[in-house]
Amino acid sequence: MNELVRQHTALDDSDLEWLHMLVSEWQLLSDLSFADLVLWVPTLDGTRYVSVAQMRPNTGPTSYQNDMVGHLVPRGRRPMLDAALDEGRIVREGDPEWREEVPVRVESIPVRREGRVLGVIARNTNLLTVRTPSRLELTYLQSASDLAQMIAAGSFPFPDQQVDMDASPRVGDGLIRLDADGIVQYASPNALSAYHRLGLAADLVGHHLGEATAELAPSRAPVDEALVKLASGWAPREFEIEAHDGVIQFRAIPLKPKGTRIGSLVLLRDVTELRRRERELITKDATIREIHHRVKNNLQTVAALLRLQARRIESERGREALEEAVRRVGSIAIVHETLSQNLDERVEFDEIADRVLAMVAEISPGKVTGRRSGRFGILDAEVATPLSMVLTEVLQNALEHGFGEGETGTVEVSAVRGGTSREARLLVTVQDDGVGLPDGFDPHSSGNLGLQIVRTLVEGELGGTFDMVPAPERGTRVVLDIPVQAHK
Protein backbone atom coordinates (compact mmCIF):
# COMPACT_ATOMS: atom_id res chain seq x y z
CA MET A 1 0.00 0.00 0.00
CA ASN A 2 2.84 2.42 0.78
CA GLU A 3 4.26 2.10 -2.72
CA LEU A 4 0.88 2.51 -4.46
CA VAL A 5 -0.12 5.53 -2.39
CA ARG A 6 3.21 7.29 -2.87
CA GLN A 7 3.41 6.47 -6.57
CA HIS A 8 -0.13 7.38 -7.62
CA THR A 9 -1.69 9.75 -5.06
CA ALA A 10 -1.20 13.11 -3.35
CA LEU A 11 -1.67 11.76 0.19
CA ASP A 12 0.99 12.62 2.77
CA ASP A 13 2.51 10.36 5.44
CA SER A 14 -0.13 11.22 8.07
CA ASP A 15 -2.89 10.33 5.60
CA LEU A 16 -1.11 7.08 4.79
CA GLU A 17 -0.86 6.28 8.50
CA TRP A 18 -4.63 6.78 8.81
CA LEU A 19 -5.23 4.37 5.93
CA HIS A 20 -2.95 1.83 7.63
CA MET A 21 -4.98 2.11 10.83
CA LEU A 22 -8.19 1.67 8.84
CA VAL A 23 -6.88 -1.39 7.00
CA SER A 24 -5.71 -2.92 10.28
CA GLU A 25 -9.30 -2.66 11.57
CA TRP A 26 -11.52 -3.22 8.55
CA GLN A 27 -11.71 -7.01 8.85
CA LEU A 28 -14.35 -6.14 11.46
CA LEU A 29 -16.42 -4.17 8.92
CA SER A 30 -15.99 -6.88 6.29
CA ASP A 31 -17.18 -9.66 8.61
CA LEU A 32 -20.13 -7.66 9.94
CA SER A 33 -21.15 -6.76 6.38
CA PHE A 34 -20.63 -10.26 4.92
CA ALA A 35 -18.92 -8.28 2.16
CA ASP A 36 -15.64 -7.70 0.33
CA LEU A 37 -13.97 -4.33 0.83
CA VAL A 38 -11.74 -2.55 -1.67
CA LEU A 39 -10.09 0.77 -0.82
CA TRP A 40 -9.93 3.17 -3.77
CA VAL A 41 -7.85 6.37 -3.63
CA PRO A 42 -7.95 9.12 -6.30
CA THR A 43 -4.75 9.55 -8.28
CA LEU A 44 -2.57 12.64 -8.21
CA ASP A 45 -4.17 14.16 -11.32
CA GLY A 46 -7.70 13.26 -10.17
CA THR A 47 -8.56 11.38 -13.37
CA ARG A 48 -8.46 7.84 -11.97
CA TYR A 49 -8.74 5.70 -8.85
CA VAL A 50 -6.14 3.19 -7.67
CA SER A 51 -7.06 0.27 -5.41
CA VAL A 52 -4.55 0.13 -2.57
CA ALA A 53 -6.02 -2.56 -0.28
CA GLN A 54 -8.56 -5.37 -0.28
CA MET A 55 -10.29 -7.51 2.35
CA ARG A 56 -12.46 -10.62 2.04
CA PRO A 57 -15.03 -11.63 4.67
CA ASN A 58 -14.71 -14.61 7.00
CA THR A 59 -18.48 -14.73 7.36
CA GLY A 60 -19.64 -15.08 3.76
CA PRO A 61 -18.66 -15.81 0.14
CA THR A 62 -16.33 -13.44 -1.67
CA SER A 63 -17.37 -11.19 -4.56
CA TYR A 64 -13.88 -11.07 -6.06
CA GLN A 65 -12.05 -14.18 -7.11
CA ASN A 66 -9.05 -12.12 -8.23
CA ASP A 67 -6.78 -9.72 -6.38
CA MET A 68 -7.88 -6.12 -6.97
CA VAL A 69 -4.90 -4.34 -5.41
CA GLY A 70 -3.07 -2.16 -7.91
CA HIS A 71 -5.96 -1.82 -10.37
CA LEU A 72 -6.56 1.59 -11.93
CA VAL A 73 -10.08 2.74 -12.86
CA PRO A 74 -10.87 5.96 -14.80
CA ARG A 75 -13.05 8.47 -13.00
CA GLY A 76 -16.60 8.28 -14.36
CA ARG A 77 -16.62 4.54 -14.92
CA ARG A 78 -17.96 3.90 -11.39
CA PRO A 79 -20.37 6.72 -10.57
CA MET A 80 -20.87 5.52 -6.98
CA LEU A 81 -17.18 6.06 -6.24
CA ASP A 82 -17.42 9.57 -7.71
CA ALA A 83 -20.52 10.42 -5.66
CA ALA A 84 -19.03 9.15 -2.40
CA LEU A 85 -15.78 11.05 -2.99
CA ASP A 86 -17.36 14.32 -4.16
CA GLU A 87 -20.31 14.42 -1.75
CA GLY A 88 -18.66 12.75 1.23
CA ARG A 89 -21.60 10.45 1.89
CA ILE A 90 -22.35 6.73 1.81
CA VAL A 91 -23.85 5.84 -1.58
CA ARG A 92 -26.14 2.82 -1.83
CA GLU A 93 -28.11 3.59 -4.99
CA GLY A 94 -28.04 1.39 -8.03
CA ASP A 95 -29.02 -2.13 -9.08
CA PRO A 96 -26.85 -5.16 -8.29
CA GLU A 97 -23.93 -5.79 -10.63
CA TRP A 98 -23.41 -9.19 -12.24
CA ARG A 99 -19.92 -10.65 -12.03
CA GLU A 100 -19.34 -14.11 -13.45
CA GLU A 101 -23.08 -14.86 -13.10
CA VAL A 102 -23.04 -13.72 -9.47
CA PRO A 103 -25.22 -10.76 -8.38
CA VAL A 104 -23.23 -8.28 -6.28
CA ARG A 105 -24.59 -5.33 -4.31
CA VAL A 106 -22.14 -2.44 -4.40
CA GLU A 107 -21.96 0.41 -1.89
CA SER A 108 -19.42 3.20 -1.48
CA ILE A 109 -18.20 4.54 1.87
CA PRO A 110 -16.07 7.70 1.97
CA VAL A 111 -12.95 7.53 4.15
CA ARG A 112 -12.69 10.81 6.03
CA ARG A 113 -9.84 12.21 8.08
CA GLU A 114 -9.93 15.65 9.71
CA GLY A 115 -12.67 16.85 7.36
CA ARG A 116 -11.01 15.59 4.16
CA VAL A 117 -12.09 12.55 2.13
CA LEU A 118 -8.98 10.50 1.44
CA GLY A 119 -10.58 7.72 -0.56
CA VAL A 120 -13.59 5.45 -0.88
CA ILE A 121 -14.27 1.92 0.36
CA ALA A 122 -16.28 -0.13 -2.14
CA ARG A 123 -18.34 -2.64 -0.17
CA ASN A 124 -19.33 -5.58 -2.40
CA THR A 125 -21.82 -8.15 -1.13
CA ASN A 126 -22.30 -11.49 -2.89
CA LEU A 127 -26.11 -11.91 -3.16
CA LEU A 128 -26.06 -15.47 -4.46
CA THR A 129 -26.73 -16.97 -1.03
CA VAL A 130 -29.03 -14.26 0.31
CA ARG A 131 -31.86 -15.59 2.51
CA THR A 132 -34.10 -14.29 5.26
CA PRO A 133 -31.63 -12.89 7.80
CA SER A 134 -31.54 -14.23 11.35
CA ARG A 135 -31.32 -12.09 14.47
CA LEU A 136 -27.55 -12.56 14.46
CA GLU A 137 -27.24 -11.42 10.85
CA LEU A 138 -29.49 -8.41 11.43
CA THR A 139 -27.34 -7.40 14.40
CA TYR A 140 -24.22 -7.81 12.28
CA LEU A 141 -25.62 -5.67 9.46
CA GLN A 142 -26.83 -2.92 11.78
CA SER A 143 -23.45 -2.80 13.48
CA ALA A 144 -21.73 -2.69 10.10
CA SER A 145 -23.94 0.24 9.10
CA ASP A 146 -22.99 2.12 12.27
CA LEU A 147 -19.28 1.49 11.66
CA ALA A 148 -19.59 2.61 8.03
CA GLN A 149 -21.12 5.88 9.17
CA MET A 150 -18.30 6.36 11.65
CA ILE A 151 -15.72 5.82 8.88
CA ALA A 152 -17.57 8.34 6.70
CA ALA A 153 -17.55 10.82 9.61
CA GLY A 154 -13.86 10.28 10.38
CA SER A 155 -14.45 8.85 13.88
CA PHE A 156 -13.27 5.31 13.11
CA PRO A 157 -10.68 3.88 13.47
CA PHE A 158 -9.76 5.19 16.93
CA PRO A 159 -6.41 7.00 16.67
CA ASP A 160 -5.41 6.35 20.29
CA GLN A 161 -5.88 2.59 20.11
CA GLN A 162 -3.52 0.35 18.17
CA VAL A 163 -5.10 -3.07 17.70
CA ASP A 164 -3.35 -6.30 16.81
CA MET A 165 -6.08 -7.98 14.78
CA ASP A 166 -4.28 -11.33 14.89
CA ALA A 167 -4.56 -11.35 18.68
CA SER A 168 -7.87 -9.49 19.15
CA PRO A 169 -11.29 -11.18 19.25
CA ARG A 170 -13.06 -11.43 15.89
CA VAL A 171 -16.72 -11.19 15.01
CA GLY A 172 -17.18 -14.96 14.85
CA ASP A 173 -15.56 -15.50 18.25
CA GLY A 174 -18.44 -13.83 20.07
CA LEU A 175 -20.38 -10.57 19.75
CA ILE A 176 -22.58 -8.59 22.15
CA ARG A 177 -24.57 -5.50 21.14
CA LEU A 178 -25.27 -2.98 23.90
CA ASP A 179 -27.55 0.06 23.97
CA ALA A 180 -26.43 3.48 25.21
CA ASP A 181 -26.99 2.45 28.85
CA GLY A 182 -24.90 -0.70 28.58
CA ILE A 183 -27.90 -3.04 28.47
CA VAL A 184 -27.43 -6.17 26.33
CA GLN A 185 -29.63 -6.09 23.24
CA TYR A 186 -28.15 -9.17 21.61
CA ALA A 187 -25.54 -11.81 22.49
CA SER A 188 -24.33 -14.35 19.94
CA PRO A 189 -24.23 -18.05 20.90
CA ASN A 190 -20.43 -17.97 21.18
CA ALA A 191 -20.63 -14.94 23.46
CA LEU A 192 -23.10 -16.71 25.72
CA SER A 193 -20.86 -19.78 25.85
CA ALA A 194 -17.93 -17.58 26.89
CA TYR A 195 -19.97 -16.06 29.74
CA HIS A 196 -21.12 -19.49 30.82
CA ARG A 197 -17.42 -20.37 31.06
CA LEU A 198 -17.06 -17.46 33.48
CA GLY A 199 -19.87 -18.86 35.62
CA LEU A 200 -23.00 -17.09 34.30
CA ALA A 201 -26.09 -19.27 34.70
CA ALA A 202 -28.72 -16.96 33.13
CA ASP A 203 -29.22 -15.23 29.79
CA LEU A 204 -27.47 -11.93 29.07
CA VAL A 205 -30.15 -10.10 27.08
CA GLY A 206 -31.77 -7.36 29.13
CA HIS A 207 -28.99 -7.26 31.73
CA HIS A 208 -26.36 -4.58 32.26
CA LEU A 209 -23.21 -6.14 30.85
CA GLY A 210 -20.79 -4.20 33.04
CA GLU A 211 -22.56 -5.12 36.28
CA ALA A 212 -23.03 -8.75 35.23
CA THR A 213 -19.33 -8.99 34.34
CA ALA A 214 -18.18 -7.40 37.60
CA GLU A 215 -20.26 -9.90 39.57
CA LEU A 216 -18.48 -12.77 37.81
CA ALA A 217 -15.00 -11.36 38.36
CA PRO A 218 -13.26 -12.76 41.46
CA SER A 219 -12.28 -9.35 42.85
CA ARG A 220 -14.65 -7.19 44.84
CA ALA A 221 -12.24 -4.30 45.18
CA PRO A 222 -12.79 -0.71 43.95
CA VAL A 223 -11.42 -1.85 40.59
CA ASP A 224 -14.89 -3.32 39.96
CA GLU A 225 -16.15 0.16 39.13
CA ALA A 226 -13.59 0.46 36.34
CA LEU A 227 -14.50 -3.02 35.13
CA VAL A 228 -18.18 -2.03 34.96
CA LYS A 229 -17.31 0.89 32.69
CA LEU A 230 -14.96 -1.18 30.54
CA ALA A 231 -17.49 -3.95 29.97
CA SER A 232 -20.18 -1.36 29.25
CA GLY A 233 -18.27 -0.19 26.20
CA TRP A 234 -17.82 3.44 27.18
CA ALA A 235 -14.39 3.61 25.57
CA PRO A 236 -12.43 1.61 23.00
CA ARG A 237 -10.49 -0.82 25.14
CA GLU A 238 -9.17 -4.39 25.27
CA PHE A 239 -9.05 -6.33 28.52
CA GLU A 240 -9.28 -9.84 29.96
CA ILE A 241 -11.25 -11.39 32.81
CA GLU A 242 -10.38 -14.63 34.58
CA ALA A 243 -12.98 -16.39 36.72
CA HIS A 244 -14.09 -19.97 37.44
CA ASP A 245 -11.01 -21.30 35.61
CA GLY A 246 -12.04 -19.45 32.48
CA VAL A 247 -10.25 -16.55 30.76
CA ILE A 248 -12.19 -14.31 28.38
CA GLN A 249 -10.64 -11.65 26.17
CA PHE A 250 -12.79 -8.56 25.47
CA ARG A 251 -12.71 -5.73 22.99
CA ALA A 252 -15.17 -2.84 23.44
CA ILE A 253 -16.04 -0.58 20.49
CA PRO A 254 -18.28 2.45 21.15
CA LEU A 255 -20.74 3.12 18.32
CA LYS A 256 -21.15 6.80 17.40
CA PRO A 257 -22.57 6.85 13.88
CA LYS A 258 -23.81 10.45 14.19
CA GLY A 259 -21.35 11.74 16.73
CA THR A 260 -23.32 10.64 19.79
CA ARG A 261 -22.82 7.26 21.42
CA ILE A 262 -25.84 5.05 20.71
CA GLY A 263 -24.38 1.85 22.13
CA SER A 264 -21.39 -0.42 21.85
CA LEU A 265 -20.10 -3.57 20.30
CA VAL A 266 -18.28 -5.99 22.56
CA LEU A 267 -16.25 -8.71 20.87
CA LEU A 268 -15.08 -11.54 23.11
CA ARG A 269 -13.20 -14.77 22.83
CA ASP A 270 -12.63 -17.68 25.16
CA VAL A 271 -8.83 -17.81 25.53
CA THR A 272 -8.76 -20.20 28.49
CA GLU A 273 -6.81 -22.94 26.71
CA LEU A 274 -4.52 -20.43 25.03
CA ARG A 275 -3.56 -18.83 28.35
CA ARG A 276 -3.13 -22.25 29.95
CA ARG A 277 -0.69 -23.27 27.21
CA GLU A 278 1.15 -19.95 27.56
CA ARG A 279 1.56 -20.54 31.31
CA GLU A 280 2.82 -24.04 30.61
CA LEU A 281 5.35 -22.67 28.14
CA ILE A 282 6.49 -20.03 30.63
CA THR A 283 6.92 -22.71 33.27
CA LYS A 284 8.76 -24.92 30.78
CA ASP A 285 11.04 -22.06 29.73
CA ALA A 286 11.83 -21.24 33.35
CA THR A 287 12.59 -24.90 34.03
CA ILE A 288 14.90 -25.15 31.01
CA ARG A 289 16.75 -21.98 32.03
CA GLU A 290 17.14 -23.32 35.56
CA ILE A 291 18.53 -26.60 34.19
CA HIS A 292 21.09 -24.74 32.08
CA HIS A 293 22.01 -22.63 35.10
CA ARG A 294 22.57 -25.72 37.24
CA VAL A 295 24.54 -27.46 34.47
CA LYS A 296 26.74 -24.38 34.21
CA ASN A 297 27.30 -24.38 37.98
CA ASN A 298 28.10 -28.10 37.96
CA LEU A 299 30.56 -27.67 35.09
CA GLN A 300 32.28 -24.83 36.90
CA THR A 301 32.53 -27.05 39.98
CA VAL A 302 34.10 -29.81 37.86
CA ALA A 303 36.53 -27.28 36.37
CA ALA A 304 37.47 -26.06 39.85
CA LEU A 305 38.10 -29.63 41.03
CA LEU A 306 40.27 -30.35 37.99
CA ARG A 307 42.19 -27.14 38.59
CA LEU A 308 42.82 -28.13 42.23
CA GLN A 309 43.95 -31.56 41.11
CA ALA A 310 46.29 -30.05 38.56
CA ARG A 311 48.06 -28.07 41.27
CA ARG A 312 48.78 -31.26 43.21
CA ILE A 313 50.29 -33.19 40.29
CA GLU A 314 54.05 -33.05 39.99
CA SER A 315 54.14 -34.33 36.42
CA GLU A 316 54.28 -31.43 33.95
CA ARG A 317 52.44 -33.39 31.27
CA GLY A 318 49.75 -34.47 33.69
CA ARG A 319 49.25 -30.89 34.86
CA GLU A 320 48.97 -29.65 31.26
CA ALA A 321 46.42 -32.36 30.45
CA LEU A 322 44.23 -31.36 33.37
CA GLU A 323 44.49 -27.68 32.46
CA GLU A 324 43.37 -28.52 28.93
CA ALA A 325 40.41 -30.40 30.40
CA VAL A 326 39.57 -27.34 32.51
CA ARG A 327 39.41 -25.18 29.38
CA ARG A 328 37.25 -27.74 27.56
CA VAL A 329 34.79 -27.88 30.44
CA GLY A 330 34.86 -24.08 30.67
CA SER A 331 33.92 -23.65 27.01
CA ILE A 332 30.81 -25.81 27.51
CA ALA A 333 29.94 -23.91 30.70
CA ILE A 334 29.98 -20.62 28.75
CA VAL A 335 27.29 -21.95 26.38
CA HIS A 336 25.07 -23.14 29.22
CA GLU A 337 25.48 -19.81 31.00
CA THR A 338 24.26 -18.03 27.87
CA LEU A 339 21.36 -20.47 27.44
CA SER A 340 20.30 -19.90 31.06
CA GLN A 341 19.64 -16.24 30.18
CA ASN A 342 17.58 -16.89 27.03
CA LEU A 343 13.93 -17.76 26.42
CA ASP A 344 14.73 -20.33 23.75
CA GLU A 345 17.39 -22.88 22.87
CA ARG A 346 19.37 -20.41 20.78
CA VAL A 347 22.40 -18.28 21.56
CA GLU A 348 24.12 -15.25 20.09
CA PHE A 349 27.44 -17.01 19.45
CA ASP A 350 29.58 -13.90 18.92
CA GLU A 351 29.67 -13.26 22.67
CA ILE A 352 30.60 -16.90 23.30
CA ALA A 353 33.38 -16.75 20.69
CA ASP A 354 34.83 -13.62 22.31
CA ARG A 355 34.80 -15.24 25.76
CA VAL A 356 36.41 -18.44 24.45
CA LEU A 357 39.06 -16.35 22.69
CA ALA A 358 39.81 -14.45 25.91
CA MET A 359 39.86 -17.65 27.98
CA VAL A 360 42.32 -19.43 25.70
CA ALA A 361 44.50 -16.34 25.28
CA GLU A 362 45.19 -16.40 29.02
CA ILE A 363 47.38 -19.48 28.57
CA SER A 364 49.41 -18.03 25.71
CA PRO A 365 53.16 -18.57 26.26
CA GLY A 366 53.88 -15.31 24.45
CA LYS A 367 52.18 -11.98 23.98
CA VAL A 368 49.67 -13.12 21.36
CA THR A 369 46.75 -10.87 20.43
CA GLY A 370 43.39 -12.47 19.62
CA ARG A 371 40.67 -10.79 17.60
CA ARG A 372 37.40 -11.66 15.88
CA SER A 373 35.92 -10.46 12.59
CA GLY A 374 32.54 -11.16 11.00
CA ARG A 375 29.50 -12.50 12.82
CA PHE A 376 28.58 -16.01 13.89
CA GLY A 377 25.02 -14.84 14.54
CA ILE A 378 22.35 -16.86 16.34
CA LEU A 379 22.97 -20.60 16.63
CA ASP A 380 20.92 -23.44 18.06
CA ALA A 381 22.21 -24.96 21.30
CA GLU A 382 23.01 -28.27 19.62
CA VAL A 383 25.41 -26.40 17.31
CA ALA A 384 26.73 -23.87 19.82
CA THR A 385 27.94 -26.40 22.39
CA PRO A 386 30.17 -28.53 20.11
CA LEU A 387 31.28 -25.45 18.17
CA SER A 388 32.49 -23.77 21.36
CA MET A 389 34.58 -26.88 22.12
CA VAL A 390 35.95 -26.95 18.57
CA LEU A 391 36.87 -23.27 18.77
CA THR A 392 38.58 -23.85 22.12
CA GLU A 393 40.66 -26.73 20.74
CA VAL A 394 41.67 -24.90 17.55
CA LEU A 395 42.65 -21.72 19.42
CA GLN A 396 44.52 -23.66 22.07
CA ASN A 397 46.38 -25.59 19.36
CA ALA A 398 47.30 -22.35 17.55
CA LEU A 399 48.62 -20.69 20.70
CA GLU A 400 50.55 -23.70 22.01
CA HIS A 401 52.16 -24.86 18.78
CA GLY A 402 52.31 -21.66 16.74
CA PHE A 403 54.23 -19.47 19.15
CA GLY A 404 57.18 -20.01 21.42
CA GLU A 405 57.91 -18.59 24.85
CA GLY A 406 57.91 -14.78 24.76
CA GLU A 407 56.95 -14.57 21.06
CA THR A 408 54.36 -12.08 19.86
CA GLY A 409 51.78 -12.60 17.17
CA THR A 410 48.11 -12.56 16.20
CA VAL A 411 45.32 -15.10 16.05
CA GLU A 412 42.20 -14.02 14.16
CA VAL A 413 38.83 -15.76 14.20
CA SER A 414 36.56 -14.86 11.30
CA ALA A 415 32.99 -16.02 10.69
CA VAL A 416 30.83 -15.71 7.59
CA ARG A 417 27.18 -16.78 7.28
CA GLY A 418 26.06 -17.71 3.79
CA GLY A 419 24.02 -20.04 1.63
CA THR A 420 20.26 -20.14 1.24
CA SER A 421 17.52 -20.25 3.90
CA ARG A 422 17.28 -24.01 3.30
CA GLU A 423 21.01 -24.70 3.25
CA ALA A 424 22.60 -21.99 5.36
CA ARG A 425 26.32 -22.43 6.07
CA LEU A 426 28.74 -21.03 8.60
CA LEU A 427 32.33 -20.66 7.45
CA VAL A 428 34.76 -20.22 10.37
CA THR A 429 38.45 -19.44 9.79
CA VAL A 430 41.09 -19.39 12.53
CA GLN A 431 44.39 -18.01 11.27
CA ASP A 432 47.63 -17.30 13.11
CA ASP A 433 50.97 -15.84 12.01
CA GLY A 434 53.09 -18.32 14.00
CA VAL A 435 55.68 -20.82 12.87
CA GLY A 436 53.28 -22.77 10.65
CA LEU A 437 52.81 -26.50 10.15
CA PRO A 438 55.70 -28.97 10.27
CA ASP A 439 56.70 -30.75 7.06
CA GLY A 440 54.48 -33.68 6.16
CA PHE A 441 51.83 -32.79 8.73
CA ASP A 442 48.38 -34.24 7.99
CA PRO A 443 45.60 -32.87 10.25
CA HIS A 444 43.26 -35.71 9.26
CA SER A 445 45.55 -38.43 10.57
CA SER A 446 47.30 -36.62 13.42
CA GLY A 447 47.18 -38.39 16.74
CA ASN A 448 46.92 -35.11 18.63
CA LEU A 449 44.00 -35.41 21.10
CA GLY A 450 42.79 -31.86 20.42
CA LEU A 451 42.63 -32.42 16.67
CA GLN A 452 40.89 -35.78 17.20
CA ILE A 453 38.22 -33.96 19.23
CA VAL A 454 37.87 -31.32 16.49
CA ARG A 455 37.49 -33.93 13.74
CA THR A 456 34.94 -35.93 15.72
CA LEU A 457 32.80 -32.91 16.61
CA VAL A 458 32.93 -31.15 13.23
CA GLU A 459 32.44 -34.17 10.98
CA GLY A 460 30.41 -36.42 13.26
CA GLU A 461 28.24 -34.12 15.38
CA LEU A 462 28.03 -30.93 13.31
CA GLY A 463 28.00 -32.59 9.87
CA GLY A 464 30.61 -30.18 8.52
CA THR A 465 34.14 -30.23 7.18
CA PHE A 466 37.50 -29.40 8.78
CA ASP A 467 40.82 -28.55 7.21
CA MET A 468 44.17 -27.19 8.40
CA VAL A 469 46.51 -25.65 5.82
CA PRO A 470 49.47 -23.25 5.73
CA ALA A 471 48.44 -19.58 5.77
CA PRO A 472 49.18 -17.59 2.56
CA GLU A 473 52.12 -15.68 4.05
CA ARG A 474 53.03 -17.20 7.41
CA GLY A 475 51.39 -19.35 10.03
CA THR A 476 48.46 -21.74 9.91
CA ARG A 477 44.88 -21.48 8.75
CA VAL A 478 42.06 -23.72 10.06
CA VAL A 479 38.82 -23.74 8.07
CA LEU A 480 35.48 -25.06 9.40
CA ASP A 481 32.45 -25.31 7.11
CA ILE A 482 29.31 -26.12 9.08
CA PRO A 483 25.61 -26.33 8.12
CA VAL A 484 23.41 -24.16 10.37
CA GLN A 485 19.79 -23.12 10.71
CA ALA A 486 18.91 -19.71 9.31
CA HIS A 487 17.57 -17.44 12.09
CA LYS A 488 16.33 -13.89 11.76
Side-chain angles (χ1 to χ4, degrees):
M1 184 165 72
N2 288 359
E3 182 179 345
L4 289 170
V5 167
R6 288 170 179 152
Q7 179 181 353
H8 294 285
T9 78
L11 301 183
D12 59 27
D13 288 343
S14 59
D15 295 330
L16 180 58
E17 181 62 27
W18 183 265
L19 295 185
H20 274 294
M21 286 195 298
L22 174 65
V23 168
S24 72
E25 293 268 30
W26 70 344
Q27 181 74 63
L28 176 63
L29 177 63
S30 178
D31 290 346
L32 290 172
S33 304
F34 309 99
D36 291 76
L37 306 177
V38 179
L39 178 57
W40 297 93
V41 179
T43 57
L44 184 62
D45 58 10
T47 62
R48 295 180 295 175
Y49 298 95
V50 58
S51 59
V52 298
Q54 178 180 1
M55 178 58 67
R56 292 184 173 90
N58 294 318
T59 52
T62 183
S63 302
Y64 288 109
Q65 298 300 323
N66 299 321
D67 190 357
M68 294 296 296
V69 175
H71 283 219
L72 290 164
V73 173
R75 184 178 172 89
R77 179 175 296 180
R78 299 192 177 183
M80 295 176 68
L81 291 181
D82 299 338
L85 183 69
D86 297 339
E87 301 172 23
R89 65 180 180 89
I90 298 176
V91 181
R92 294 192 176 95
E93 297 87 356
D95 297 326
E97 297 181 4
W98 287 84
R99 299 177 189 162
E100 299 180 0
E101 300 184 355
V102 175
V104 177
R105 182 174 64 242
V106 181
E107 304 165 90
S108 295
I109 305 166
V111 176
R112 192 183 303 273
R113 173 180 178 265
E114 296 180 351
R116 296 164 43 241
V117 178
L118 307 182
V120 179
I121 294 176
R123 182 164 56 176
N124 305 271
T125 307
N126 187 325
L127 300 177
L128 197 61
T129 58
V130 167
R131 52 186 173 80
T132 303
S134 64
R135 178 74 188 279
L136 180 144
E137 291 166 331
L138 288 173
T139 302
Y140 276 21
L141 292 172
Q142 179 58 55
S143 302
S145 177
D146 294 334
L147 278 180
Q149 291 182 60
M150 291 170 65
I151 292 172
S155 57
F156 187 84
F158 304 111
D160 56 346
Q161 187 191 37
Q162 297 294 323
V163 177
D164 181 0
M165 290 306 297
D166 292 332
S168 294
R170 300 200 174 202
V171 169
D173 295 326
L175 177 142
I176 297 175
R177 173 88 186 213
L178 308 178
D179 65 13
D181 297 321
I183 305 299
V184 178
Q185 295 179 309
Y186 176 79
S188 71
N190 284 346
L192 282 174
S193 297
Y195 264 84
H196 291 160
R197 186 72 178 263
L198 289 178
L200 181 72
D203 194 2
L204 274 174
V205 176
H207 292 80
H208 190 281
L209 185 66
E211 295 175 357
T213 304
E215 289 177 2
L216 295 171
S219 172
R220 290 291 177 266
V223 74
D224 287 353
E225 183 177 345
L227 180 59
V228 169
K229 297 201 73 172
L230 283 174
S232 299
W234 286 92
R237 293 288 186 272
E238 289 195 21
F239 57 98
E240 286 187 4
I241 295 175
E242 182 171 358
H244 290 79
D245 297 325
V247 184
I248 308 301
Q249 183 184 21
F250 290 78
R251 184 188 177 196
I253 304 169
L255 297 175
K256 303 177 181 179
K258 296 182 180 179
T260 303
R261 181 175 169 276
I262 64 168
S264 304
L265 275 183
V266 177
L267 305 179
L268 60 158
R269 177 173 60 171
D270 186 346
V271 293
T272 305
E273 293 304 313
L274 178 63
R275 296 294 177 261
R276 181 185 62 79
R277 288 197 296 270
E278 287 177 350
R279 282 192 284 264
E280 289 178 352
L281 287 173
I282 291 172
T283 302
K284 179 182 176 182
D285 288 340
T287 302
I288 291 173
R289 288 199 299 274
E290 178 63 21
I291 289 172
H292 284 304
H293 182 71
R294 294 188 181 186
V295 169
K296 182 262 296 184
N297 288 343
N298 291 339
L299 288 171
Q300 288 180 336
T301 301
V302 171
L305 292 173
L306 291 173
R307 196 176 293 112
L308 286 173
Q309 189 66 42
R311 292 172 184 169
R312 295 174 177 269
I313 293 181
E314 296 181 359
S315 168
E316 184 68 23
R317 292 187 61 185
R319 187 162 51 252
E320 290 177 356
L322 285 178
E323 288 174 349
E324 286 183 1
V326 168
R327 286 187 287 275
R328 287 165 185 151
V329 171
S331 66
I332 302 174
I334 291 173
V335 177
H336 283 281
E337 181 180 3
T338 306
L339 287 168
S340 70
Q341 300 168 2
N342 292 346
L343 292 175
D344 52 28
E345 291 290 286
R346 300 173 184 173
V347 295
E348 180 64 61
F349 197 81
D350 295 302
E351 179 186 350
I352 293 174
D354 290 340
R355 292 179 63 180
V356 168
L357 190 58
M359 179 181 68
V360 175
E362 292 177 358
I363 55 94
S364 170
K367 296 180 180 180
V368 179
T369 302
R371 63 169 179 258
R372 175 179 61 85
S373 62
R375 290 192 70 249
F376 287 85
I378 298 174
L379 297 177
D380 291 334
E382 64 235 22
V383 174
T385 302
L387 182 57
S388 68
M389 286 195 65
V390 168
L391 197 57
T392 300
E393 296 298 332
V394 172
L395 287 169
Q396 186 168 299
N397 189 74
L399 293 172
E400 286 186 357
H401 302 290
F403 303 93
E405 187 72 32
E407 289 184 353
T408 61
T410 303
V411 177
E412 181 174 359
V413 179
S414 66
V416 178
R417 296 285 285 260
T420 64
S421 59
R422 291 184 178 181
E423 296 183 355
R425 311 288 298 186
L426 173 62
L427 186 66
V428 182
T429 303
V430 179
Q431 182 168 317
D432 66 69
D433 54 4
V435 298
L437 297 173
D439 294 337
F441 179 81
D442 183 0
H444 298 284
S445 60
S446 170
N448 180 293
L449 176 60
L451 291 182
Q452 287 181 9
I453 292 174
V454 170
R455 286 198 302 270
T456 301
L457 291 176
V458 172
E459 297 172 0
E461 191 161 341
L462 294 174
T465 60
F466 156 73
D467 200 7
M468 179 182 285
V469 296
E473 296 181 2
R474 184 185 178 204
T476 305
R477 173 183 290 175
V478 176
V479 180
L480 311 172
D481 188 357
I482 302 166
V484 294
Q485 287 286 340
H487 297 302
K488 295 181 179 179

